[in-house]
């Protein structure tokens, strides 16, 4: 499998499980064959994907929602589907549509930016889980969690792309997140 495997590396913040060490594997792909294969191992907790990954397997934005449903039919865990909207209202509207595909499994993936934080607050208020992606710093992770994000995705690979070690930044995020009670569960996925 060529897909990236993301690993949840922290305890669940704000949960009774916080004292337990937990590791979950999330597949970062849109390739249904890869997802089916990894799911057959019984080892993945969920999938994260976006329209760019979908386009790499020949998909078109117009049928992204149908593809998300197909992923949800395979994986009975969280499936993070990314919004490509840019304003809070557009992200909120798109997020509601994405979540409606499979309310039990779809997590709306939103980039860490001002409009994304505002949309995350709106989505969380509706009970829609959010995965804040493109999170690079501790302050961004804390802002994302305070906005209501259920998952925080530090972009470790981007540090690696510029020849820096992203693991120390990830450690900083995990340690900082464990110091706060955000009033809801929040997991770090990297």
């Amino acid at each position: 499998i060529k897909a990236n495997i993301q690993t949840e590396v922290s305890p669940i913040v704000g949960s009774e499980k916080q004292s337990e060490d937990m590791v979950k594997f999330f597949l970062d792909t849109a390739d249904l064959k890869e997802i089916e294969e990894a799911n057959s191992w019984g080892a993945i907790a969920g999938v994260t994907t976006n329209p760019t990954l979908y386009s790499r397997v020949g998909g078109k934005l117009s049928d992204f929602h149908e593809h998300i449903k197909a992923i949800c039919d395979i994986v009975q865990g969280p499936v993070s589907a990314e919004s490509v909207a840019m304003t809070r209202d557009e992200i909120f509207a798109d997020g509601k549509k994405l979540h409606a595909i499979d309310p039990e499994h779809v997590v709306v993936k939103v980039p860490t930016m001002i409009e994304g934080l505002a949309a995350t607050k709106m989505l969380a208020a509706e009970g829609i889980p959010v995965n804040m992606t493109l999170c690079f710093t501790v302050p961004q992770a804390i802002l994302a969690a305070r906005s209501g994000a259920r998952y925080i995705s530090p972009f470790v690979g981007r540090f690696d792309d510029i020849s820096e070690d992203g693991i120390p930044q990830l450690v900083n995020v995990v340690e900082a997140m464990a110091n706060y009670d955000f009033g809801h569960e929040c997991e770090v996925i990297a």
Side-chain angles (χ1 to χ4, degrees), residues 111-127:
T112 304
M113 59 182 187
I114 292 169
E115 294 296 302
L117 291 166
T120 294
K121 181 177 180 184
M122 295 163 65
L123 289 164
E126 298 271 328

Side-chain angles (χ1 to χ4, degrees), residues 103-148:
E104 186 177 343
H105 297 106
V106 172
V107 174
V108 180
K109 196 171 173 185
V110 176
T112 304
M113 59 182 187
I114 292 169
E115 294 296 302
L117 291 166
T120 294
K121 181 177 180 184
M122 295 163 65
L123 289 164
E126 298 271 328
I128 298 173
V130 174
N131 177 355
M132 293 287 310
T133 189
L134 299 173
C135 186
F136 293 99
T137 67
V138 169
Q140 286 179 326
I142 292 170
L143 286 168
R146 291 249 186 253
S147 295

Side-chain angles (χ1 to χ4, degrees), residues 21-186:
D21 289 331
M22 299 183 67
V23 174
K24 295 179 183 178
F25 294 101
F26 288 78
L27 204 59
D28 190 28
T29 187
D31 188 313
L32 293 178
K33 289 181 183 175
E34 289 177 350
I35 295 167
E36 287 171 343
E37 176 63 25
N39 193 58
S40 75
W41 308 334
I44 63 170
V47 172
T48 66
T49 194
N50 60 53
T52 300
L53 292 174
Y54 183 45
S55 71
R56 290 181 187 157
V57 295
K60 295 186 169 93
L61 190 56
S62 62
D63 60 351
F64 182 63
H65 289 201
E66 290 84 16
H67 196 74
I68 295 302
K69 178 63 177 149
I71 294 171
C72 291
D73 289 344
I74 297 167
V75 178
Q76 296 302 302
V79 175
S80 292
E82 189 164 351
S83 172
V84 294
M86 296 303 293
T87 69
R88 67 188 71 193
D89 292 333
E90 292 169 344
I91 296 168
F92 178 66
D94 192 33
K96 286 176 70 173
K97 289 176 187 170
L98 287 166
H99 184 67
I101 295 167
D102 186 333
E104 186 177 343
H105 297 106
V106 172
V107 174
V108 180
K109 196 171 173 185
V110 176
T112 304
M113 59 182 187
I114 292 169
E115 294 296 302
L117 291 166
T120 294
K121 181 177 180 184
M122 295 163 65
L123 289 164
E126 298 271 328
I128 298 173
V130 174
N131 177 355
M132 293 287 310
T133 189
L134 299 173
C135 186
F136 293 99
T137 67
V138 169
Q140 286 179 326
I142 292 170
L143 286 168
R146 291 249 186 253
S147 295
R150 172 69 178 82
Y151 300 92
I152 308 292
S153 293
F155 211 141
V156 176
R158 197 58 60 90
F159 284 100
D160 295 337
D161 290 345
I162 59 171
S163 300
E164 289 188 28
D165 186 358
I167 299 301
Q169 185 62 29
L170 175 61
V171 169
N172 291 338
V173 167
V174 170
E175 288 176 352
M177 295 292 289
N179 288 324
Y180 296 95
D181 178 3
F182 299 106
H184 64 281
E185 289 186 3
C186 187

